[in-house]
Amino acid sequence: MLKNPCWLILAVFLVVSPAAAETPEEDPLALAALLLADGNVDRAASVLTGVDPTDDAVDGGWFWSLSGLVALEHGEHGVADVAFGKSIDHALAVCEADPTVPRPCEATVDPVLFLSQARARLLAGNAAGALDALDRGGPALHTFSGSFLVRARAAEATGDTGAAWDALKIGADLHPSVRELPRQQVLLLLRLGLRQEASAQAAALLERDDVGLEDVLAIAEAMRKAGSVEGAAVLLEDARLAYPESVEPLLRLAAVHMDAGRPLTAGRFLQQAAEWDARWALASAELYRKAGRRDLALYMNSRVEDPTEKVRQRFGLLLDDGAFERAVALDDRLVRLGLLQSDEALRYGLAYAWFRVGDLDRAEGLLSGFADARLFENAVSLRQAIARCRDSPEACG
């Protein structure tokens, strides 16, 4: 919610800065601004390193504003805070030096500077400082919907959830077209454990014409994490019908039903997802395996495209099912794919399968070189069983 487009803030600087009238060839700050607007942050930073902000010919306020934006884009939030602070100080100094400028001087500072500083402070973990910057910006910041998002997050970080809610409520009333504000209201209610209120708020939000799949998925995920699994499932079922061209609702539904302890249902949703992308066939088969539906698991395994993962999973399914003859029939393929060297558990499983079908020599030949302590102990036990069979074949049945 804090990632407001850099170009929006930059556009304000371009309007208010006298240097903006210069062409990039005439003013490096104009060049840096254009580079930032185009997303060339590193090049803009390189241009700014060649500028001396103490030079009388340089617009110091603009320099520090651009420097702050560069620092924000680089994730240097503390540096950005300082840079925006210097830009604010520059604006105040200009005002104080000119008796014709209306007072108080703080009211003449571009409010976007305070918003930018608040964002930098919040990202740096200084929530109280972010609130202070917003307070300094005053009512002029109400023009920007982002100021309410920053205030809400900062207030919540300080433990004042009431103020966080108020910020989102006021912001939503002032900016009814910005759906992020009511969306954040829903998420805040969920974080507070107010599931019923959150569901009601979400229902109202989802009736808006401008709400998209991303909004639905975000709310459903928040509901899932908050423990409202059934509410998330209802939202995602609606999303699956409303957005049949997207696989994402199917994937989220699978996760929700796994949380609810329903691997069979989750496997079915991933089976549908595999119609879009065969890579989901492996996970679907695994969920069917957990649900005890090995018939469905084997069917989905047959659709797995990766030969290594396919044979690894198929062997495990056959072993679980006690189909030892079919399991050992995969021996050559496991050897060819190098799985007996890379997967100790699989090698032990194959040894056990050969033991069960009566090929003691092949079984014993696989029981060496185990690094895993548990598998080593199992191998010792299986060796002992093989020895008993050799001594008394009738005991092996």
Side-chain angles (χ1 to χ4, degrees):
M1 100 176 173
L2 296 176
K3 291 191 176 181
N4 293 333
C6 177
W7 62 263
L8 180 59
I9 299 173
L10 184 60
V12 177
F13 292 143
L14 288 171
V15 170
V16 301
S17 173
E22 305 289 345
T23 64
E25 291 77 11
E26 297 169 332
D27 188 342
L29 296 185
L31 174 59
L34 289 175
L35 290 170
L36 264 176
D38 289 338
N40 296 313
V41 181
D42 291 336
R43 290 181 61 194
S46 178
V47 170
L48 291 174
T49 58
V51 178
D52 179 5
T54 64
D55 188 332
D56 291 340
V58 172
D59 183 341
W62 202 29
F63 170 84
W64 289 114
S65 297
L66 294 171
S67 297
L69 287 173
V70 167
L72 271 183
E73 292 296 311
H74 282 157
E76 299 170 339
H77 306 129
V79 175
D81 175 16
V82 172
F84 289 127
K86 289 183 176 180
S87 184
I88 292 169
D89 290 342
H90 181 274
L92 291 173
V94 169
C95 171
E96 290 165 359
D98 186 351
T100 65
V101 176
R103 268 38 179 184
C105 280
E106 199 155 88
T108 67
V109 178
D110 192 320
V112 176
L113 286 172
F114 292 114
L115 176 56
S116 300
Q117 186 178 50
R119 291 181 64 241
R121 288 179 174 179
L122 183 55
L123 290 168
N126 181 10
L131 291 172
D132 179 66
L134 292 172
D135 289 341
R136 290 183 69 190
L141 282 177
H142 291 181
T143 305
F144 306 99
S145 62
S147 69
F148 296 99
L149 294 169
V150 175
R151 183 176 289 278
R153 181 59 63 86
E156 185 181 356
T158 63
D160 193 347
T161 54
W165 176 262
D166 289 343
L168 293 172
K169 179 66 169 63
I170 294 170
D173 290 342
L174 291 175
H175 301 276
S177 64
V178 180
R179 70 179 186 274
E180 183 63 20
L181 289 158
R183 186 170 89 161
Q184 288 301 323
Q185 286 180 292
V186 175
L187 300 181
L188 176 58
L189 289 170
L190 287 170
R191 288 195 292 272
L192 294 175
L194 303 173
R195 298 179 188 175
Q196 189 171 355
E197 293 86 343
S199 296
Q201 189 81 15
L205 171 62
L206 296 176
E207 289 179 358
R208 293 173 51 137
D209 293 335
D210 59 346
V211 168
L213 177 60
E214 180 185 350
D215 301 289
V216 178
L217 296 178
I219 292 171
E221 180 65 12
M223 284 185 165
R224 183 177 78 87
K225 290 180 178 178
S228 184
V229 175
E230 300 307 328
V234 170
L235 281 183
L236 292 169
E237 284 285 4
D238 289 343
R240 181 168 69 98
L241 297 174
Y243 302 95
E245 75 285 354
S246 174
V247 71
E248 197 62 34
L250 297 172
L251 302 179
R252 302 294 183 92
L253 277 165
V256 163
H257 285 286
M258 275 300 297
D259 286 352
R262 297 189 286 263
L264 179 60
T265 304
R268 285 173 176 156
F269 281 119
L270 285 189
Q271 180 175 347
Q272 294 176 49
E275 299 292 338
W276 295 70
D277 188 337
R279 287 178 297 178
W280 294 109
L282 185 74
S284 175
E286 194 59 33
L287 287 171
Y288 282 142
R289 178 182 185 177
K290 289 182 179 179
R293 291 296 305 271
R294 293 194 180 90
D295 55 334
L296 294 174
L298 284 168
Y299 168 69
M300 289 308 297
N301 172 265
S302 70
R303 298 177 57 188
V304 175
E305 294 181 343
D306 185 305
T308 300
E309 293 303 323
K310 181 174 185 173
V311 72
R312 188 200 305 274
Q313 186 181 63
R314 189 169 192 82
F315 177 80
L317 288 168
L318 294 173
L319 204 62
D320 288 349
D321 213 25
F324 300 117
E325 292 283 356
R326 295 172 64 190
V328 298
L330 298 175
D331 192 331
D332 289 343
R333 198 182 311 173
L334 295 172
V335 171
R336 186 168 62 253
L337 293 171
L339 288 174
L340 299 185
Q341 288 73 41
S342 63
D343 191 330
E344 288 187 342
L346 188 149
R347 179 155 54 89
Y348 173 80
L350 182 60
Y352 180 76
W354 277 117
F355 169 72
R356 291 299 303 269
V357 300
D359 191 331
L360 303 183
D361 291 337
R362 177 56 178 156
E364 190 169 28
L366 293 166
L367 294 174
S368 60
F370 289 101
D372 182 272
R374 182 183 60 83
L375 290 174
F376 177 80
E377 292 177 0
N378 290 344
V380 170
S381 298
L382 187 54
R383 280 181 182 278
Q384 293 170 347
I386 291 172
R388 287 194 296 270
C389 282
R390 284 189 169 133
D391 291 340
S392 302
E394 66 280 0
C396 289

